[in-house]
């Protein structure tokens, strides 16, 4: 079946603009995660959604970052007033909603802030 | 909180075995994972091991877990150039709904 789909695959924008990144999880996966991967770095956890529970936003680096998940499926990560340090690959993953399920990743959105 | 550490680089010759090491700090971690990331792609789950196991083998991959020392390793037998990638170690914690990733080990395979 289809894997995790992210769009756009690449985004170049000017500093100060807002951007929206989209993630379409695997059908039936109730858990959805956003990570940030800066050049040559590991994965930085941003936010986690599980079913209808309140999201775990503990990894969001500032109030310029927000995410929502509509209808328990598609998620959008929004970065307002982008800064150059926001340049990174943003990865989305999904999993079944029970404990210890492995996460399945999309190919990411490469965000470049000029 | 949980910390997962890996060496950053490993270089091997084609046909040799590769061993990538990882340490973690949270002894309550129940599942430990190895992911592979090729250029321009997301992370692909390679294998995982439950904390009550000490070894798992899957074709060319062997995972060893030393729970006492909180040390995990991934051995790739007969390493091929197609194995060149970044390998991430990860540990599930917080009841299994959160996963902490290491910084990744970049494996270079020389022909």
């Amino acid at each position: 079946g289809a894997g995790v789909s992210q769009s756009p695959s690449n985004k170049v924008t000017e500093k100060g603009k807002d951007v929206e990144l989209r993630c379409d999880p695997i059908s039936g996966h109730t858990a959805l995660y956003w990570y940030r991967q800066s050049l040559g770095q590991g994965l930085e956890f941003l936010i986690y959604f599980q079913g209808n529970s309140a999201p775990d936003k503990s990894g969001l680096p500032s109030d310029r970052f927000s995410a929502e998940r509509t209808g328990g499926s598609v998620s959008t990560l929004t970065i307002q007033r982008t800064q150059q340090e926001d340049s990174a690959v943003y990865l989305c993953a999904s999993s079944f909603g029970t404990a210890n399920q492995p996460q399945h990743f999309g190919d990411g959105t490469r965000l470049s802030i000029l | 909180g949980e910390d997962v550490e890996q060496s950053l680089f490993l270089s091997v010759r084609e046909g040799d075995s590769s061993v990538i090491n990882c340490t973690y700090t949270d002894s309550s971690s129940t599942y430990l994972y190895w992911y592979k990331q090729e250029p321009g792609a997301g992370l692909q789950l390679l294998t995982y091991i439950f904390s009550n196991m000490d070894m798992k083998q899957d074709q060319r991959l062997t995972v060893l877990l030393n729970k006492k020392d909180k040390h995990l390793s991934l051995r790739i037998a007969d390493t091929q150039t197609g194995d060149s990638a970044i390998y991430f170690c990860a540990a599930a914690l917080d009841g299994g709904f959160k996963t902490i990733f290491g910084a990744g080990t970049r494996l270079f395979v020389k022909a």
Side-chain angles (χ1 to χ4, degrees), chain A residues 37-39 83-90 111-114:
Chain A
Q37 185 178 27
S38 300
L39 186 63
Q83 303 294 312
Q84 287 186 331
E85 62 263 28
D86 300 334
S87 296
V89 175
Y90 289 82
L111 177 63
S112 300
I113 310 299
L114 302 179

Side-chain angles (χ1 to χ4, degrees), chain A:
Chain A
V4 176
S5 176
Q6 291 189 246
S7 61
S9 54
N10 287 283
K11 176 74 176 178
V12 181
T13 192
E14 292 179 346
K15 177 182 168 182
K17 300 283 190 187
D18 296 353
V19 295
E20 283 190 353
L21 313 180
R22 176 188 167 105
C23 174
D24 203 339
I26 292 172
S27 178
H29 282 189
T30 58
L32 187 147
Y33 307 78
W34 282 99
Y35 296 90
R36 178 167 69 176
Q37 185 178 27
S38 300
L39 186 63
Q41 302 296 311
L43 270 65
E44 176 188 3
F45 167 78
L46 297 178
I47 188 168
Y48 156 61
F49 296 89
Q50 165 56 7
N52 296 322
S53 302
D56 178 349
K57 304 179 183 180
S58 59
L60 294 178
S62 78
D63 59 7
R64 296 187 295 106
F65 288 72
S66 63
E68 62 178 25
R69 189 178 185 191
T70 52
S73 180
V74 171
S75 176
T76 303
L77 176 69
T78 301
I79 309 173
Q80 295 178 309
R81 305 180 303 281
T82 51
Q83 303 294 312
Q84 287 186 331
E85 62 263 28
D86 300 334
S87 296
V89 175
Y90 289 82
L91 291 165
C92 175
S94 70
S95 71
F96 288 111
T98 50
N100 299 311
Q101 293 295 322
Q103 296 176 28
H104 299 262
F105 284 79
D107 285 340
T109 294
R110 184 174 298 276
L111 177 63
S112 300
I113 310 299
L114 302 179

Side-chain angles (χ1 to χ4, degrees), chain B residues 35-99:
Chain B
Y35 286 83
K36 176 183 181 183
Q37 185 181 34
E38 297 186 72
L43 277 66
Q44 171 196 357
L45 179 68
L46 281 180
T47 187
Y48 61 93
I49 190 167
F50 187 53
S51 59
N52 69 352
M53 299 167 64
D54 51 21
M55 186 181 93
K56 181 178 180 181
Q57 187 151 3
D58 184 359
Q59 299 182 344
R60 292 190 297 120
L61 305 179
T62 303
V63 179
L64 295 178
L65 174 61
N66 181 327
K67 196 176 178 185
K68 173 177 169 287
D69 293 339
K70 297 195 274 293
H71 180 269
L72 183 74
S73 68
L74 174 70
R75 178 176 179 269
I76 306 172
D78 186 25
T79 313
Q80 303 298 306
T81 54
D83 295 324
S84 294
I86 303 174
Y87 291 81
F88 289 91
C89 169
L93 65 156
D94 191 22
F97 290 100
K98 219 167 178 177
T99 303

